[in-house]
Amino acid sequence: MSASAGDGEPGLPFDMEEVSGPTCTGENSRHDPAVCAGTSEIKSRAVVKYSAAPPPTSYALLQEKTDLKLPPANWLRENPQLGTAGTTILGSSSKSKPFSSFGMAYDFIDCIGDDVDVVSDSENIKKLLKIPYSKSHVSMAVHRVGRTLLLDDLDIQELFMRSSQTGDWTWLKEFYQRLIDQKWQRKKKSKEHWYQKAILSKFLYYSINGDGAAEPVSDNLDEGEEENGAEEFNTSWPTAFTSASSDAEEADAPKQESIDSQFALGQVTSVPKEQNLPMLFNEGENSQGLRNDFVRNIMWTFEDIHMLVGSNMPIFGGGRYPAVSLRLRDNNKPINILTGMDYWLDNLMCNVPELVMCFHVNGIVQKYEMIKTEDIPHLENSTFSTRVVKDIAQNVLSFLKSNCTKEGHTYWLFKASGSDIVKLYDLTTLCEEAEEEKCQNPFTLPVAVLLYKVASNLMLKARQNRKHYGTIRTLLLNCVKLLDEERHPQIIASAHYMLSELFQLDEPPQEDGGESLRAGGSEDSYSDEDREEEEEEEEEEEELTEDSDENSYSSQDDSKAVAVIRSVGELSVPEKYKSTHQIRPSCAFPVSQDKEEKCRHVLSYVLKGLKAVDGTIKKESDLPAADPNTPIPLKYEDRSASGACAAETGISLLLERAGPLQMDKKYPTRSGMIPGSWQHRMKLQLFLKASKAYYVLSDAATNLLKYGRALRYIKLSLQSYDAYCSVSGTLHPQVLLFHSQCLSLCGDIQLMLAQNANNRAAYLEEYSYQTKEDQEILHSLHRESSCQAFNMATDLATDPEYTLFVSNKCYEAAYELLDSEALKDHGPDQLTQVLKRLGNIRNEMGVYYMNQSAAMQTEKEVKKSVSVAEQEMWKKSFAFFEKGMKDFEAIGDRTNTALLLCNTGRLMRICAQAHCAMSADQSRGEFSPEEALYYNKAIDYYLRAMRSLESRESHTAVWDSVNWELSTTYFTLATLLQDYAPLSRKAQEQIEREVTEAMMKSLKYCDLQTESARQPLYQYRAATIHHRLASMYHSCFRNQVGDEHLRKQHRSLAELHYSKAVCLFLSLKDAPCELLRTLLERVAFAEFTMAGQSSSAAKLKSLTGAIEIMTETRHAFQMIHNELLEELRETEPAESVESPDVASGPTSGLNLQEVMKLIGVFEPSFSFLLLQLIKLMTTMKRKPSNKDEEVLKTYKNVYSKLLRAEKNAPLLSRVKLHMELLQQLTPETGSDDTGTRS
């Protein structure tokens, strides 16, 4: 052995210097990855992603003179160290399969579309980088997925050999023959070629065997070699591509968990996660040649190019060095540049720092030599520039990226043997021009599956980052475009379902619009579907560099080429080709904040998915014939209140359908689907998605107050859910939760329809309208279900009572569902909302029946005893109020509980009004005990409402409302007791006590301090209460005989309440009549007091006090005067011709009859007081003072004017006169009062 081989023992490594560079870490590797290669010229880093080989072991050094022509004992036996080289004599790398890149892409789906530039067999990478140095032909298929290019060896001659059997690619064969302009012939490999392969294989087996002795094997080598050569491609090309549906599982476990099993299509599903979607297509990957058969998969970064490469190169190791590669060379043949590049690139890709070369002469081992990887480019006769190789790589990648722009298209990179021209053809476009089926392209299905898998993988990421949505949409649209629905319905249905999933229907609209969605347009983002169609129509050639003249290639023969490299030498020029083509950053996901538009997108994809599934179910004979173009009528019924009872059966069906199903389906569905099949699982998802989309549409229509449209959509949503139930064995809690939302929304809509019954004609028009899309979806639903379960809940009825009844039943069904065992812990928030709605609808129904009973009272011509119908209404109303209160109490809603208590109080008052006693002549009788009972019940409910609220701060509006109602009830009770006193059964004193007590309680709840809209009303009521109490005490004082103490008490109470009433009426500014009446009553009270006095001084004092009270009426007359003037100003323009006699004209704010009546009382009372004063003062025995004389003179003057006043004068004139007379008395009485009391 040569000295250069070293004298170490067999199996020991040679001394090697470590290659400088950063250390890499592997992923899923079974051996420690080698260090990265890096020199001053180029950067290279490799990470082993997957390795099927055992950790590298030391190689055996063969003895000098070992004859490699003799096979070792272990030859051609399977060995993990050699990988596929162990079962073939083809050497260290078996022939590339046409779909090898797809096998890798499927296994490392995370990298595809974004992280990696190229996925390919290492042999293809080497072939591309050697293009400028090699005269051999290059034929590769190129596919694009995002920014990733998949490269596969396309043996065109083998393809045509196979096409004669399958009929595929005949159009390409004709095109190729025109292109080459000669009949193609398959080149046979020379015997020398097979000889070299054979001794290489034997050398490798010797190296792992460690036994130098040659052990012959009984094998006709030549025959084996030839046979192997002939059958080299037998398993390379699949005969036909169909969607695999067999149940056979893969022999080897996949290297990475399948995306289809990971991706739960929709979080709300009816089946456990692992059953969501079938593991699409994996079953067929082995048989179709789509397996990843490489010994190792490596992520290789060469300069700025990221490549996922597959390699079968045997790697040996041991000692100080992590790995070495073994090579066999004929000592008589120098290493050329192509071989050197081959060795160098292999070592770079596999992170192998050194190369061990074994030299032989005619198969006899001569010596070993060790070469560092970084020294390979500098070997004698094999010198090449690594910088040039880097430029070639960048130029080739830029050329391909600039021209392979259409996702899903198959491109063909072709260089004829001996030619310098490289051409790129779009085979998909050529195939379409040839008018042959798209499925005649064997790459169609693998590409479509890859697009689908990448989209599925991105869907997982899209949950966290919505920027992927535009990318996913384009991937799926391109996937669907490639496939024939009849051949691949499963992928098409799945793709359409995923497209529908992109539109998040349950997200609140974002203020920042669609920025997060539009962020998807990066350098290598995807084109929009419309753009792609335009491009396909205009087949424009794209130029690669700024200097188009230099790089474009025009030839009549090559007019079909997408792009041409005129000379391979150009690839060595740095940055000769630049990736100028960006796959348009217009691929933003179609962002719309319009919910209806989103839902329409979803439903269009759902419909396409359903059509794809329905097309695979053949059991048409059992279905009733239906034309999808004929609208399915949405029935509406006119139902009376009595129909509510008949609807109970429909409700029981609704509740039964709403509950969780427990049985597992074992028999085919109505359409003939087998439970558990992919069709079954897909339909479940699509039905549920349709139901959700219609729910969102219904919700949006409700917000727009389009209740007819909302009811139509919720009907479709519930029909979709009904079909879902028909094909589903068990219902997932999330599905049941969603269903309770549907029922709740249906209840909302029916409630709104009941409250807006006047617009029924418009709602009916909206309800009856149907789009063609909705008809087709309904047609698909009817294949699985009659969709009748929820008809009762979604009919448009004419009767408001029935509509309220349906709304109530929908809420009850939703509540029962949420309260069931299946959802006990799933929707606490939703349960609260439903209970609130349930309380609300029961309040509405209580109010409805209460109003009905009130209407019955007003419609009665003759007041009779309470009718049975009225009592029924009260019972219904009361029952609903009671249930509503329980609902609100269950969720601790004190405010709404108080409102229902308040409404129940109002019901009690209506009951009290109905029980009012009527005498024979239809006049109001005494206050009955039934009235008292119901008014007291009403008071109890109002007090409970106050206790429920606790304080005004809890809810100001409700508190004020309850407070007002309570005050009103006390006031009404007191007024009726006072006006229609039940003297037949109670004593006067008892009635007076009850009236006083009720009035004082009403006064207690009159909130005079808080500024609010009700403050003037409270002031008026308080004034009225004081006035009524004063009148009552005035009456008692007049009628009381005997008990002087009691009379004094009544007198002082009357004085107190009169003064308070006057103060409050004065502050109101808009109750002149009430003020005037109170003052006149007070004057009468003073007159009555004077009548019992005997001394002149006492009488004078009483009369002076009465006159003083009388002068206060000027405030009332002033208010009356102002209102009359205002009225006159308003009527003057219209009645300018007529005499302004306001006495006869009506006024808006004044009761003129009441004013005239009060003036009729005022004038004689005023005259009487003045006359009595004049008489008393003139007959006084003591000598009058000057002041007394002046006062007397004033009295006489006023009295004189009053007597001379025209009785038939207009009201305005009379009021004005009274004001003037009272004004004259005002200063006099004040001084007189002072003088008198001194």
Side-chain angles (χ1 to χ4, degrees), residues 119-158:
V119 179
S120 185
D121 183 348
S122 59
E123 296 300 310
N124 295 332
I125 302 283
K126 291 191 290 184
K127 196 179 289 186
L128 281 178
L129 297 183
K130 292 190 292 187
I131 279 182
Y133 303 98
S134 170
K135 292 293 181 184
S136 61
H137 86 286
V138 173
S139 175
M140 289 187 196
V142 186
H143 296 90
R144 178 161 202 151
V145 179
R147 56 169 282 191
T148 304
L149 297 174
L150 281 76
L151 306 179
D152 292 285
D153 188 48
L154 188 63
D155 190 323
I156 204 78
Q157 295 182 340
E158 168 60 19

Side-chain angles (χ1 to χ4, degrees), residues 417-545:
S417 183
S419 170
D420 276 353
I421 301 168
V422 183
K423 301 166 191 174
L424 185 73
Y425 298 94
D426 184 345
L427 295 186
T428 305
T429 306
L430 292 174
C431 178
E432 286 167 0
E433 288 172 1
E435 296 181 353
E436 292 194 32
E437 288 187 43
K438 57 186 170 184
C439 290
Q440 285 197 335
N441 176 351
F443 283 103
T444 300
L445 183 63
V447 173
V449 173
L450 182 60
L451 294 174
Y452 174 86
K453 288 195 172 199
V454 173
S456 299
N457 187 53
L458 280 176
M459 278 295 268
L460 294 172
K461 298 177 183 175
R463 297 284 182 223
Q464 287 81 38
N465 191 348
R466 296 172 69 200
K467 75 174 185 181
H468 296 300
Y469 281 11
T471 304
I472 296 167
R473 177 175 178 267
T474 310
L475 285 164
L476 292 171
L477 289 174
N478 286 331
C479 167
V480 170
K481 207 187 292 183
L482 285 173
L483 298 173
D484 180 4
E485 194 169 303
E486 288 183 13
R487 297 193 189 194
H488 310 292
Q490 187 177 1
I491 314 178
I492 286 174
S494 303
H496 281 125
Y497 174 70
M498 278 209 287
L499 282 164
S500 75
E501 275 287 283
L502 290 175
F503 295 87
Q504 298 298 311
L505 300 178
D506 50 358
E507 286 183 0
Q510 296 180 351
E511 286 183 15
D512 54 352
E515 279 189 30
S516 58
L517 300 184
R518 291 197 177 91
S522 60
E523 179 201 341
D524 289 301
S525 106
Y526 299 74
S527 58
D528 226 14
E529 186 180 16
D530 301 334
R531 283 287 183 91
E532 289 180 356
E533 285 171 5
E534 285 171 24
E535 286 168 15
E536 285 167 13
E537 287 169 15
E538 311 169 2
E539 282 292 329
E540 291 183 2
E541 282 191 16
E542 306 227 19
E543 303 302 338
L544 301 179
T545 63

Side-chain angles (χ1 to χ4, degrees), residues 901-960:
L901 285 163
C902 193
N903 280 340
T904 313
R906 187 174 152 227
L907 175 66
M908 294 299 114
R909 283 161 63 192
I910 288 171
C911 295
Q913 288 163 17
H915 281 91
C916 97
M918 302 298 291
S919 59
D921 60 350
Q922 290 300 309
S923 61
R924 177 76 165 82
E926 286 186 353
F927 185 66
S928 67
E930 289 84 2
E931 284 181 274
L933 173 71
Y934 281 115
Y935 276 120
N936 282 314
K937 278 189 176 180
I939 287 166
D940 286 342
Y941 281 113
Y942 289 132
L943 288 170
R944 278 177 62 189
M946 298 286 273
R947 284 196 296 273
S948 176
L949 288 170
E950 292 181 342
S951 67
R952 187 172 186 267
E953 287 70 32
S954 58
H955 199 291
T956 308
V958 178
W959 175 273
D960 289 348

